[in-house]
Amino acid sequence: IEGSNEVCLGAGVMCEGGTYKGGPGYFPKCHYETNPSALILFYILVLMTIWFTRLNDKLEHWVPKTYKAVLHAAMTELATLGFVSLVAFFIKYKWDARDSWLDLVGK
């Protein structure tokens, strides 16, 4: 089975999602296809969060005192909408080809 495209079962051990490459006993060697898009998306989200925080700090210093309450309300609203969007994403996202949390509750 060396180098085949079969599902990684190994010798008595199942490696989900991998391709069996060899190995004895309970230590099979498996090859997993990786996709860096999740890591790239994570880095983009971190960079956007840093940018949002820095922009907020700069705006607090640039805006006159009379408009600080408006700025605070706007930034709070943006942060709240971001949190709600994140929760909605996690509820609707399909994890590992299974149904989303929303689909599971609806069954």
Side-chain angles (χ1 to χ4, degrees):
I1 301 180
E2 185 76 28
S4 71
N5 289 331
E6 295 179 18
V7 174
C8 181
L9 296 175
V13 177
M14 184 171 175
C15 299
E16 294 182 24
T19 304
Y20 180 70
K21 294 294 182 186
Y26 288 97
F27 302 104
K29 295 178 183 174
C30 299
H31 174 71
Y32 296 94
E33 296 294 326
T34 58
N35 187 348
S37 62
L39 186 61
I40 292 169
L41 181 61
F42 174 74
Y43 285 140
I44 289 171
L45 289 175
V46 169
L47 288 173
M48 286 176 62
T49 303
I50 292 170
W51 177 79
F52 181 79
T53 305
R54 286 186 179 178
L55 178 67
N56 190 17
D57 290 342
K58 286 185 180 189
L59 285 175
E60 284 179 3
H61 293 292
W62 290 345
V63 171
K65 281 187 176 182
T66 54
Y67 294 114
K68 289 210 186 241
V70 174
L71 176 66
H72 179 70
M75 290 300 176
T76 303
E77 188 68 26
L78 283 173
T80 303
L81 288 173
F83 176 74
V84 170
S85 297
L86 182 66
V87 170
F89 169 77
F90 280 117
I91 289 173
K92 192 60 185 155
Y93 187 76
K94 292 184 184 249
W95 302 96
D96 295 333
R98 291 179 280 168
D99 289 337
S100 67
W101 293 340
L102 187 64
D103 294 334
L104 291 174
V105 170
K107 286 184 178 181

